Amino acid sequence: MIGRLLNFILFVTFAGATITLADTNTGDEYAPVADLLKSCQVCHGDQGASTEQQYPILAGQEFYYLYVQLKDFKSGLRANPIMDPVVSALDKDQMQLIAKYFSEQVWPDTEYASDDQVTRSAITVITAGQCIACHLGKFDGDSRVPRLAGQHPEYLAKTMLDFKSKSRQNSPAKGSLLASFADQELINVAQYLSSL
Amino acid sequence: MGNKRINNLFLNLFVGWCIALFSISSVQSQEVGGGTLYGDMLTVTQDMLDRAASDSNNFLHTNGNYKQTRYYPARQINVGNVDRLQRAWTFETEVVESLETTPIIVNGVMYVTTSFNHVYALNAETGQEIWHYKHDMGPITTYCCGPNNRGVFPYGDKVYMGTLDAKLVALDAKTGRLAWATQIADPELGYSETMAPTAVDGKILIGTNGGEYGIRGFVKAYDADTGKELWTFHTTAENSVGVWATKDATGRDMLRDIRAEKAALKKLGDPYKTLGGGVWQNMAIDRETNTVYFVAGNPSPDLYGAIRPGDNLYTNSLVAVDLSTGKYKCHFQYIAHDVWDLDAVSPPILTTVVDDRGNEVKGVLHAGKTGYVYVHRAKDCSLIRFSEPMVVQENRWVLPTPEGERMLPGANGGVEWSPMAIDPNLGLAYAINLHQPMTYHVEATPYPGGKLWLGGAFKVIAEEQQWGNITAVDYNTGKIKWKVKTEQPMIGGILATGGGLVFTGEGNGWFRAFDSKTGELLWQYKANAGVNAPPASYNVGGNQYIVVGAGGNVQLDYKRGNEIIAFKLGR
């Protein structure tokens, strides 16, 4: 992670001149944020199809969820040492364009698995928490509710544990609910969701 | 390609063209001549809507008629022959997700909706598609409990629908083309629409979802021709404090800390701007007194009451307003300062009831999430009686804690949004119930600006058994007449008919008919998905049909599907 962070700082410092990225091929619509999109892909992978566990997949994520997260990073509701400097200078139009770009990409195939014991534990938590009522049956999300299916398990687990510990506070209802589960239960849920 | 294959191709095209032509003319003839007793048979007139309670051909209202009795007068299908009821046709929608639609039938044409706001017009005799409308959903939607839709309302030459992105749309009933759309409220702040509208006297009435997001609830009236807003009644009063009630409608102490609330009121002021009070279901209309009756839902945030001192009027209330102006007439609050989300959702029913002096008066029935049927005087909303509890009551009203307190009913209630039905001849109201033990957790939470705002959490106790009931309540005495236990908690709705039957479906796919007098099971059909939508009935070509959606339910995670299934008597 430190290596990525250093790369990212270098990228921001030299405005993208020092790092060669896959062609973003953004077209005219995304020209105003082309350089910003390149910086996003330093960590989040080509077209947002992250292959590293700690960076969430953005490709194919819900537009409005992504936009709200960018707004929350900027307002400080969601604190993150990597994202804070990225979003501080973004305006609303830029945030919406970035969110739209990633929402239009294809969610990558991931091949995570969940064994029977983990799956049983996860389904018990999901039933108790009525998670499907918001995230929908396939955990595909919709609009302001993120897709969780196929997301990296490490990122999902960290997210839930951060909600539980209140180190992430930009979805208060999530924090209240997750606080009532054991850490290992949430890790099991993360593994199960990643396998969907 | 050889000549023989070319000849076959032309032959197939010709046959297909003939079939298509026949289908179109068949549909058109049914639209014109399919048989309603009232009106010009081309459009849905106010007269047709007013007479719907005695119309054995159409099903024009979400809940049967303006009184919302869900009592369908036809008796071709009855206790003596319901065992011969057979599937007539199945229509598969494009969307495999919760179905909560009430099919609307106008002169042989059926209108159904799906999750994410698709609308279909079908030939009610065959199930063939006439047109399909897909709402152009905006990128921002904020909704609780699934991307549901509960149906259209027909009026004039249009059908009307509310959308997840908080719009009201009017469609040409013959083509499905969009006539107009109007933005009801801002979905970014938590407003959305899943209820069917109600049309009356040139107005389209609709409430709003959003009680889980800190909205300010309302019922609005729009001009049916133009979509122009005519009036708004806010379900959170600018003075929402009320009378500092300490007991609920059944007389049970709600353990409020009134002193702390009064101190909070001084410090925070009236919380009405983000107080919730969604209106999830259709309103009953008293045409004689020009009065609209509806129920308003829970206050926001659901569980954390300290931030919203006072009774939180008119949340958790039966409310009556003037149809012409939207002006307040009366209300009755079931739970002041609710911190359990056991609110008022199931649509109210107007009917004649016996009051506490033995006189017959115009009454209003409501099935609360508390699991009681409440009986009111229509003239002033006052409570005449409440029924015996239809579901187990345990630990009510224990206050939520950070660690969680167990209570029954659970937060999905003893009755959810599911409409009741009545048989006015028997004086019985039929409700479907849930038994879902839950723990209630509270956490101090400031307004999060349109995000989910529960002020805590509800948790299903996974290791405890859940079940459901179908319950018949004598609304003139409050006594339970009969009760049938079901395998799972019930959600969807129920229909009573002149044939002495009640029809309702279950999450496990069973769709069943019971004797409305006794609760005896008389017929059943196993669908491919949960049957969690309100049934309807109609007549076409001399046959009475029962129709219901089988699409499961996202809130209770019942198996999803995409089928509209119609039944009629076999030979």
Side-chain angles (χ1 to χ4, degrees), chain B residues 73 123 167 175 205 216 280 304 360 542:
Chain B
N123 179 322
K167 289 178 179 164
T175 64
L205 307 180
R216 187 179 185 201
W280 291 82
Y304 175 47
E360 288 194 341

Side-chain angles (χ1 to χ4, degrees), chain B residues 426-475:
Chain B
L426 301 174
L428 296 179
Y430 307 97
I432 59 173
N433 307 131
L434 308 86
H435 175 94
Q436 265 194 312
M438 286 196 192
T439 50
Y440 291 71
H441 306 248
V442 66
E443 182 174 10
T445 313
Y447 174 62
K451 291 178 179 169
L452 186 63
W453 193 28
L454 301 179
F458 309 104
K459 275 181 72 178
V460 173
I461 304 174
E463 54 270 25
E464 289 201 40
Q465 191 186 1
Q466 302 181 22
W467 64 80
N469 303 318
I470 305 156
T471 307
V473 171
D474 184 331
Y475 49 78

